[in-house]
C-alpha cells in the first residue's frame, strides 16, 4: 500500500486543489481525500462505493509525474490517516 499527495499547479474552479490517496499494490485507488479551494473536502472510499477503484484506470505515479500539471509526492500512511480521520469515519 502506498499513499500519495497530488497538487495541481493551476486547478480548475470545479476541481480539487489537492488530493491525498491510498493506492493498493496493484494500482487501485482505495480511498481518497479531495480538498477544494472553498475550504471543504470530500472523502471517498472504494469499498463504500462498491467499486474496485475510485479511478478509471490503474494509478501510475510515473505517468502522473510526467503530466506536468500535477505535483506528486509519496506521503506516509500516518499523514494520510490524519487527513482521513477528519472525515469522521
Amino acid at each position: 500500500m502506498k499513499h500519495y499527495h497530488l497538487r495541481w499547479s493551476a486547478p480548475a474552479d470545479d476541481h480539487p486543489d489537492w488530493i491525498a490517496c491510498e493506492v493498493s499494490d496493484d494500482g487501485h485507488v482505495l480511498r481518497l481525500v479531495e480538498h477544494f479551494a472553498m475550504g471543504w473536502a470530500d472523502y471517498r472510499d472504494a469499498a463504500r462505493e462498491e467499486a474496485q477503484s475510485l479511478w478509471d484506470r490503474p494509478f501510475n505515479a510515473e505517468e502522473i509525474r510526467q503530466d506536468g500539471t500535477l505535483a506528486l509526492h509519496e506521503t506516509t500512511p500516518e499523514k494520510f490517516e490524519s487527513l482521513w480521520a477528519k472525515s469522521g469515519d
Side-chain angles (χ1 to χ4, degrees):
M1 193 80 63
K2 291 190 176 185
H3 298 84
Y4 295 94
H5 191 274
L6 301 89
R7 181 175 296 276
W8 277 262
S9 55
D13 290 338
D14 59 342
H15 288 92
D17 288 336
W18 57 261
I19 292 177
C21 59
E22 178 178 70
V23 181
S24 68
D25 293 337
D26 56 358
H28 296 299
V29 177
L30 303 177
R31 296 187 294 167
L32 61 81
V33 178
E34 299 172 298
H35 185 270
F36 293 82
M38 309 129 213
W40 62 275
D42 188 22
Y43 301 84
R44 298 181 56 209
D45 183 327
R48 205 176 304 142
E49 294 185 23
E50 298 181 4
Q52 189 171 19
S53 180
L54 296 170
W55 285 18
D56 294 339
R57 58 188 208 187
F59 187 93
N60 183 322
E62 284 309 310
E63 184 179 292
I64 293 169
R65 283 186 180 103
Q66 294 173 4
D67 178 85
T69 62
L70 290 166
L72 170 79
H73 70 271
E74 195 167 342
T75 189
T76 66
E78 295 80 15
K79 286 183 182 178
F80 178 83
E81 290 301 334
S82 173
L83 292 169
W84 185 259
K86 295 177 184 176
S87 73
D89 283 350

